[in-house]
Amino acid sequence: MTFPLFLQLLTNGLVVGALLAIVALGVALIFGVVRVVNFAHGEFVTLGAFATYLVVTQLNISPLLGIPLAFVLGAAVGAGIQAAIVSRAAGRPELDVLMVTYALSIIGLGIFSSAFSGDFRSYSEGPSGIFTLGSVVIGLRSLTVLLVCLIVGVGTILVVQRTRIGLALRALAQSRDSAAACGINVPAAELFAFALAVGLAAAAGALVSLIGTIHPRVGHDLVLDAFVVVVLGGMGSIGGAVLAAIAIGIVNAFTSFALDDSWARILTYCLLYATLLLRPHGLLGRHVGA
Amino acid sequence: MILSLDSIEVRYGQAVAVDRVSLGVGAGKWVLVMGPNGAGKSSLLRAAIGLVKHRGRITFEGRDLSAEPTWIRQRLGIGYVPEGRQLFTEMTVEENLRVGGYGCSAPALRRGLDLAYGMFPRLAERRGQIASTMSGGEQQMLAMARALMIEPKLLLVDEISWGLSPILVAQVFATLVELHAGGIAILQVEQNAFEALKHAQSALVMSAGRLVLEGAADEIARDRRVVESYIGA
């Protein structure tokens, strides 16, 4: 493999990894704070993708503006779903809660399939052209994705690590009872976490629509990798999830080039298996008690 | 009475952990609940702060708290020092204290931190240290300091001598005595009641979820059955 090709694949992997990181951040946030495995997370990515597609093609709005719009829409939908559905399942056996998010996923898939059929769609509006850096060619769209992911990712981590509400989220992730006994309004903090996570998923969907074709399963496919990333990084560990996302993105890029997409998926799961053998709690995970 | 528990009942499935227990804590008073392991003492405290579902009425300063969630009860002035400390182990000392004062305004938070560090200079030295890396005694100080951030009127204290050496137990009790002298009411649950009986005004004995004995602490301390069963010779 030549060095320029190596750099090219690395760059491609970084773009995919950055997207994956934003989706995985949301999965980790919901798992860590709300203690729910959100199987419907991919459908929120799809929601953001189609919402952006619609505002771009129907209303002639720039896809760059579609990103914050998707975030706001996602946050609103996420808040509604947490308040009306997920929070009501709280305190029930884990399997019940899993069935609730699984059902949401199936419902979401059904809605997207009937509203948009199975067609692959894309649009040409927004940033276009390529950018060369030495021998590496990067599309302006990919560069946009990379930059937005960086801003959104750093922003989210700052919210979690440096703000008052972030302190509540971290407290909740470590000990629910203690958080409540310290005066934290637990349902409100959970609502915030769910809304933020779904907002991130929808923003990621907007970015997906910018660099690829979209279809009713686009988020569903992406979120499988995001789950691997969250387990790989250590359930609930935000730093671990980002690290694992970028690693998976890069591994995928190289394997897809050298072999093909299905081998990339096989290798991803082998990597997960090997990591869990060596580090049962993931890359940066710690054992978390009840 | 600053706190009244009226016919509190806690069930875990079919099992009755607390069986219609009533007690009152007067303003500034120190009340001790003793009894063997599994008597329902901790469940009673968890009911008082709202961490378990319960039947019966709980009033704090005349206000009915029975339907209020835990966070409201804390913000009204009930501090809780849980069994086993339950710190935010991956956070620093200062972050733990900030969570303790989560409901405080910025000046109140500042005042709470100053008070906590003044009372526990050791925590001030270690404010940037991760809680899980501290010794058991320091962690217990942190658990107390965290509960004190809101300047509570009532402190619920669960098995505070848990896992501590006799010297540290004495230190922790000295702190409770100081707080009590400052006017804070204390409802303490303790299996190892010998030390606690010296300080409390009244004591209650629980067994199998029920209240079996109550009286002034010095009387309870002289009761032969209590001495044999719960204090040890």
Side-chain angles (χ1 to χ4, degrees):
Chain A
M1 185 182 292
T2 59
F3 189 62
L5 177 61
F6 174 81
L7 281 182
Q8 186 69 59
L9 289 174
L10 199 66
T11 314
N12 296 351
L14 214 54
V15 173
V16 175
L19 262 178
L20 213 47
I22 299 302
V23 178
L25 269 180
V27 173
L29 205 56
I30 292 178
F31 178 77
V33 175
V34 194
R35 307 272 161 105
V36 166
V37 176
N38 183 22
F39 280 125
H41 211 67
E43 279 51 60
F44 297 126
V45 175
T46 311
L47 174 75
F50 275 115
T52 309
Y53 173 82
L54 286 180
V55 296
V56 169
T57 56
Q58 306 297 313
L59 304 175
N60 279 320
I61 288 175
S62 158
L64 293 182
L65 206 61
I67 300 163
L69 282 177
F71 178 85
V72 171
L73 174 71
V77 169
I81 284 182
Q82 162 68 15
I85 300 169
V86 178
S87 68
R88 284 170 202 246
R92 298 184 61 92
E94 256 170 51
L95 197 61
D96 290 15
V97 186
L98 284 185
M99 290 311 292
V100 167
T101 64
Y102 187 69
L104 284 173
S105 167
I106 299 295
I107 293 167
L109 278 174
I111 292 174
F112 295 129
S113 301
S114 63
F116 298 99
S117 75
D119 296 349
F120 286 74
R121 295 156 195 265
S122 60
Y123 52 81
S124 55
E125 288 84 348
S128 63
I130 54 165
F131 188 81
T132 47
L133 203 88
S135 54
V136 177
V137 179
I138 180 165
L140 216 51
R141 289 186 167 214
S142 296
L143 196 66
T144 307
V145 170
L146 212 52
L147 276 176
V148 172
C149 285
L150 191 70
I151 293 165
V152 170
V154 169
T156 305
I157 289 173
L158 283 179
V159 165
V160 172
Q161 296 293 339
R162 294 271 180 273
T163 64
R164 183 168 175 274
I165 181 76
L167 187 67
L169 299 185
R170 285 184 292 139
L172 211 51
Q174 289 179 37
S175 170
R176 267 182 124 56
D177 283 357
S178 288
C182 284
I184 290 171
N185 180 346
V186 175
E190 286 181 340
L191 190 74
F192 178 84
F194 208 94
L196 175 61
V198 173
L200 289 175
L207 294 171
V208 166
S209 78
L210 192 63
I211 50 167
T213 52
I214 61 171
H215 52 92
R217 295 186 61 90
V218 67
H220 203 78
D221 295 344
L222 188 67
V223 99
L224 279 178
D225 277 342
F227 276 118
V228 173
V229 158
V230 170
V231 177
L232 201 57
M235 297 297 278
S237 161
I238 283 181
V242 171
L243 205 68
I246 289 167
I248 292 285
I250 290 172
V251 166
N252 270 346
F254 280 90
T255 323
S256 302
F257 173 79
L259 302 159
D260 61 46
D261 281 351
S262 43
W263 276 103
R265 181 134 285 167
I266 290 171
L267 201 71
T268 299
Y269 283 90
C270 288
L271 205 65
L272 173 67
Y273 184 62
T275 307
L276 290 184
L277 275 182
L278 297 170
R279 288 191 60 90
H281 302 297
L283 292 175
L284 297 186
R286 264 151 300 198
H287 180 72
V288 182
Chain B
M1 290 292 153
I2 186 167
L3 177 77
S4 298
L5 305 182
D6 184 16
S7 201
I8 299 302
E9 187 178 305
V10 177
R11 288 167 179 271
Y12 301 112
Q14 289 295 309
V16 180
V18 177
D19 190 2
R20 286 160 295 166
V21 169
S22 300
L23 65 84
V25 181
K29 294 288 189 241
W30 185 333
V31 175
L32 172 68
V33 179
M34 44 200 280
N37 211 356
K41 311 183 297 294
S42 289
S43 294
L44 185 67
L45 276 200
R46 291 172 63 78
I49 192 69
L51 287 172
V52 286
K53 274 194 184 159
H54 56 81
R55 280 181 166 173
R57 217 168 115 89
I58 296 176
T59 45
F60 179 68
E61 295 190 304
R63 177 172 170 168
D64 187 353
L65 292 188
S66 311
E68 298 289 1
T70 300
W71 68 277
I72 299 261
R73 300 187 193 196
Q74 188 258 8
R75 291 197 188 185
L76 288 172
I78 306 180
Y80 176 55
V81 185
E83 183 178 12
R85 306 186 273 265
Q86 307 295 331
L87 294 173
F88 304 109
T89 50
E90 292 169 35
M91 290 187 188
T92 63
V93 167
E94 177 134 340
E95 284 177 321
N96 268 276
L97 295 177
R98 284 182 182 275
V99 180
Y102 191 76
C104 296
S105 63
L109 185 66
R110 197 64 258 161
R111 195 170 63 240
L113 284 172
D114 289 345
L115 281 172
Y117 289 143
M119 189 160 210
F120 304 101
R122 192 117 182 116
L123 295 181
E125 292 164 22
R126 315 206 149 201
R127 62 180 76 195
Q129 190 170 336
I130 300 293
S132 63
T133 64
M134 298 200 303
S135 73
E138 289 163 348
Q139 290 194 17
Q140 191 63 68
M141 284 179 202
L142 181 54
M144 292 172 80
R146 183 181 65 179
L148 293 170
M149 285 297 293
I150 51 160
E151 300 181 55
K153 296 164 201 144
L154 168 70
L155 202 56
L156 307 175
V157 183
D158 196 351
E159 301 288 357
I160 202 161
S161 55
W162 180 83
L164 297 182
S165 69
I167 295 171
L168 289 172
V169 171
Q171 276 181 20
V172 161
F173 270 97
T175 306
L176 285 181
V177 169
E178 191 185 333
L179 292 170
H180 183 234
I184 296 181
I186 296 174
L187 177 57
Q188 182 179 20
V189 153
E190 190 76 39
Q191 203 177 338
N192 174 13
F194 182 69
E195 182 69 28
L197 274 172
K198 293 183 201 164
H199 307 293
Q201 273 98 40
S202 56
L204 305 96
V205 179
M206 278 181 80
S207 177
R210 289 174 182 245
L211 215 55
V212 292
L213 198 63
E214 58 179 304
D218 47 356
E219 284 167 26
I220 297 281
R222 285 195 301 269
D223 190 299
R224 205 164 46 81
R225 290 164 302 168
V226 172
V227 173
E228 282 169 3
S229 309
Y230 306 118
I231 303 179

